Amino acid sequence: MTIQNKFARLATDNAPGQEVRQTAAGTQALLRGDALPGRPVDFSHGDVDAHEPTPGSFEVFAQGVAKGGSQAYTEYRGDLEIREEVAARLADFTGAPVDARDGMIVTPGTQGALFLAVAATVARGDKVAIVQPDYFANRKLVEFFEGEMIPVRLDYETAGEDRAGLDLDQLEAAFRAGARVFLFSNPNNPAGVVYSPAEIARIAALAGQYGATVIVDQLYSRLRYSGVTYTHLRAQDLDPQNVVTIMGPSKTESLSGYRLGVAFGAPAIIARMEKLQAIVSLRAAGYCQAVLRTWFAEPEGWMDDRIRRHQAIRDDLLSVLRGIGGGFARAPQAGSYLFPRLPALAVPHADFVRILRLQAGTVVTPGTEFSPHHGDCVRLNFSQDHAAAVAAVERLASLVERYRA
C-alpha cells in the first residue's frame, strides 16, 4: 500500500464536525443561519452549550494550571495520583480491579486511546474482527496499520430489545480464520444498542478459547436508559492480559474540549501504548488531566438528570422518525446516537446528506462511515438543544417526503 493510499483511506470529509467546513455559498449561508427554516443543527457531534460540562470542571482545571509545572509535565501515561483516584472509581463501576500504576494510561481523548490501542495490537497482515456497523475510526485505523479486517454482522434491526444482535457464529468464524484482535464499541456507536449479558459472556468465552485480544470502547456506558442491563467485558471470566477497555468523560459529561480519555487493562499493551504516546503527543494535556477528578464525582442527581433529559430528546426524535413511511429507527438503549434507515429516495443517499445540510440546516453523518452496507442510514447525535433537535428532524422528514422515490 502506498503512503498516498494509506492516507486516502482515512478520508475525513464526513467525520464529526467536518461536514460544515465547505466553501460553497449555500453552506456559508447555513453557517450564518440565513433564510433557514429554524436553527441549524449539527448532529455530527453533541452540543456542549446545550448540555453543560460537569459542575466544577473548569475550577478543577484552573487548579491544575495553578499547580504549575508538576501538573504540566506528568508521566507520559498521566499523573499517578490522578490515575489512582480514577482507577478506584473505574474498578467500582466495571466490577474488576484496575491497576493504576501499570494498567492505565490517560490519553488525548478516547480517540487517542483508540489509536494507541490499535497501534499496540495490530501490525501489517494481522487479522482483526470488526463489527458492522461500528465506530468509523475502528475500520480506518485497522486499514491504516495494514491489518486485515474480518467483518462481523450486527443485526440490530431484527435482534429484539433484549440483545444487540451480534452474529456470534460469524465472530467465532473470524477467530477460526485467524483473527487475533476483536474491536467493538458497547454501547454500539452508531446504533446505540447494548450487548446483552449472554452476548458479552459469549464474546469472553470465544476470545479466551482462541487467545484473542479484545479492545472494547465503552465511551457511553454511563448514559444508559431505563431498564437496560449493562455487562462489563473485563468483569467476565477472561484473561485480563487480553482486554483493554477505553472510556472517558468527553460525551456523557460534555467535557470533550478537554480531550481526555483513559485506557485500562493488560499492562503489556498499556506499556506499548505509553511508548507510542511518548513520541506522538507526549501525554494528555497536563493541566486538563486535573479535570478527571470530577469524573464519577458529579453532584448527587446530576447524572440521573442528564439521562432523563437525553431520553426525552431521544423519544421525541423517535416519534418523528417513526412517522417516516418505509424507514426504520430502533430506540437506542444507551448513548446519544440514533441510526435511522431512510426509505428509498429519488437521489443517492450521499447526495441527500448534502441536501439536508444546504436546504434544511441539518448536518448528519452518512451511514457509510460505519459500514459499507448502511448507505441508506444516517447517524444523529441527539445531545442537542431539545427544541432545535426536534425541529431539525422534522425538516429531515419533510425533505424525505420531497425526495422520496
Side-chain angles (χ1 to χ4, degrees):
M1 183 187 301
T2 66
I3 193 69
Q4 291 87 351
N5 285 339
K6 286 186 70 170
F7 279 88
R9 292 188 177 190
L10 291 179
T12 58
D13 289 348
N14 291 312
Q18 293 294 99
E19 296 91 334
V20 296
R21 295 182 59 199
Q22 311 295 326
T23 57
T27 303
Q28 292 303 309
L30 162 62
L31 293 174
R32 295 191 302 269
D34 295 349
L36 287 171
R39 171 182 163 184
V41 174
D42 186 350
F43 284 115
S44 73
H45 56 77
D47 184 352
V48 297
D49 296 323
H51 302 279
E52 294 183 353
T54 306
S57 54
F58 179 77
E59 289 75 12
V60 174
F61 167 75
Q63 291 170 14
V65 175
K67 187 177 177 181
S70 63
Q71 184 64 56
Y73 294 99
T74 70
E75 295 178 56
Y76 292 139
R77 65 174 61 197
D79 180 271
L80 178 57
E81 184 179 331
I82 293 173
R83 296 202 321 266
E84 289 175 338
E85 189 174 330
V86 171
R89 297 170 183 171
L90 289 172
D92 289 342
F93 180 67
T94 62
V98 177
D99 180 353
R101 183 174 295 274
D102 297 321
M104 172 184 286
I105 184 170
V106 181
T107 61
T110 52
Q111 192 84 354
L114 181 62
F115 174 87
L116 296 173
V118 176
T121 54
V122 179
R124 178 182 297 174
D126 286 348
K127 296 180 178 180
V128 183
I130 294 284
V131 175
Q132 292 184 342
D134 211 335
Y135 184 51
F136 66 87
N138 294 357
R139 166 181 54 82
K140 293 182 180 183
L141 286 173
V142 172
E143 288 184 330
F144 185 78
F145 290 111
E146 300 184 30
E148 178 184 336
M149 290 188 300
I150 303 179
V152 180
R153 183 172 56 248
L154 184 72
D155 291 323
Y156 64 93
E157 287 197 16
T158 60
E161 295 300 318
D162 60 339
R163 57 191 299 270
L166 186 69
D167 190 324
L168 293 164
D169 290 337
Q170 278 196 357
L171 179 60
E172 181 167 16
F175 287 140
R176 284 201 307 267
R180 288 296 173 263
V181 177
F182 176 44
L183 176 58
F184 75 111
S185 60
N186 184 28
N188 173 266
N189 177 356
V193 292
V194 171
Y195 287 76
S196 69
E199 288 172 307
I200 291 296
R202 184 61 176 153
I203 290 169
L206 289 172
Q209 178 181 346
Y210 290 94
T213 295
V214 184
I215 302 169
V216 54
D217 174 355
Q218 296 190 177
L219 181 57
Y220 282 98
S221 54
R222 297 187 76 193
L223 189 63
R224 306 193 302 267
Y225 302 118
S226 56
V228 175
T229 299
Y230 191 94
T231 304
H232 295 275
L233 178 72
R234 63 187 310 271
Q236 302 299 295
D237 184 17
L238 179 60
D239 187 347
Q241 303 302 312
N242 289 337
V243 183
V244 171
T245 302
I246 295 172
M247 289 183 61
S250 293
K251 304 300 186 182
T252 300
E253 300 81 359
S254 298
L255 292 168
S256 57
Y258 291 100
R259 305 308 305 141
L260 290 167
V262 174
F264 49 104
I269 297 175
I270 298 296
R272 293 198 293 270
M273 293 171 67
E274 181 185 31
K275 289 179 180 179
L276 183 57
Q277 178 156 285
I279 62 171
V280 171
S281 59
L282 295 178
R283 59 184 62 78
Y287 297 150
C288 293
Q289 290 181 39
V291 177
L292 286 172
R293 296 187 186 279
T294 68
W295 195 26
F296 286 91
E298 301 85 7
E300 184 177 356
W302 185 88
M303 183 60 69
D304 291 337
D305 181 67
R306 175 133 303 192
I307 292 171
R308 179 185 61 78
R309 290 175 182 271
H310 279 73
Q311 185 161 343
I313 301 170
R314 180 201 71 171
D315 292 347
D316 283 352
L317 298 190
L318 279 170
S319 179
V320 177
L321 291 168
R322 288 173 171 172
I324 300 174
F328 174 84
R330 177 172 172 175
Q333 298 166 295
S336 61
Y337 295 117
L338 282 160
F339 197 54
R341 175 169 47 80
L342 303 179
L345 301 174
V347 297
H349 282 83
D351 290 346
F352 185 71
V353 168
R354 289 189 287 273
I355 288 168
L356 276 176
R357 185 177 69 238
L358 296 173
Q359 296 186 16
T362 301
V363 177
V364 300
T365 305
T368 48
E369 284 291 289
F370 310 96
S371 165
H373 311 296
H374 289 77
D376 55 354
C377 295
V378 294
R379 190 193 72 172
L380 295 80
N381 186 326
F382 59 85
S383 187
Q384 310 287 340
D385 174 86
H386 193 149
V390 172
V393 172
E394 287 174 344
R395 297 195 297 271
L396 179 153
S398 178
L399 282 179
V400 166
E401 297 308 320
R402 182 184 304 177
Y403 288 94
R404 183 183 290 275

